[in-house]
Amino acid sequence: MKKIKNIGIKVTLPKKASNDKHDPFFSNLRIRGRLFIGKVISTSSAKTAKIEFERLLPIPKYERVEKKRTRLIVHNPDSINAQVGDLVKVSECRPISKTKNFVIIEKIK
């Protein structure tokens, strides 16, 4: 079994090994920057997932907040293999492709 690398963030480690060159636990992909928790809404492309999370945006004029949705295209490593409906933790990394700048680092549910 391949050795699991410490990524510097406290997460549950994947149970299976991976030969994916963009896996933060088994390759040299570095984790940096922002962290998000979101829900997987699509896994139609290979090794790619689309996640969505809500954020509250204040409107000072009306003293209210509005809900906004953010959708991200993220890398889904073989060792994690998140499916539609899973709650996942996502971290920023170097650009993997034109639209993928994030990678899934933990499956929460």
Side-chain angles (χ1 to χ4, degrees):
M1 187 171 158
K2 293 177 92 175
K3 185 179 177 201
I4 297 177
K5 185 178 79 170
N6 182 9
I7 62 170
I9 299 170
K10 201 169 198 175
V11 295
T12 56
L13 299 175
K15 291 175 178 47
K16 64 178 186 174
S18 171
N19 289 327
D20 188 357
K21 67 179 182 178
H22 298 300
D23 192 329
F25 297 101
F26 297 101
S27 71
N28 61 357
L29 185 72
R30 305 270 190 262
I31 300 300
R32 61 172 188 212
R34 303 178 293 171
L35 284 169
F36 298 112
I37 294 177
K39 189 174 184 178
V40 178
I41 57 172
S42 172
T43 57
S44 58
S45 300
K47 296 184 183 178
T48 303
K50 187 185 287 188
I51 68 154
E52 177 180 85
F53 57 93
E54 288 187 349
R55 57 194 170 85
L56 296 175
L57 184 72
I59 305 173
K61 179 179 177 182
Y62 299 110
E63 297 178 0
R64 303 277 193 274
V65 291
E66 69 176 322
K67 280 187 186 177
K68 291 275 190 170
R69 285 186 314 196
T70 300
R71 290 184 176 187
L72 295 174
I73 307 296
V74 298
H75 183 69
N76 190 5
D78 294 335
S79 61
I80 295 173
N81 195 22
Q83 300 299 319
V84 175
D86 288 344
L87 196 64
V88 293
K89 187 180 282 188
V90 176
S91 180
E92 189 176 7
C93 62
R94 66 174 176 79
I96 294 172
S97 70
K98 180 181 175 182
T99 56
K100 289 198 288 189
N101 296 313
F102 293 88
V103 64
I104 297 175
I105 58 172
E106 182 181 20
K107 195 187 313 185
I108 298 171
K109 287 185 186 174

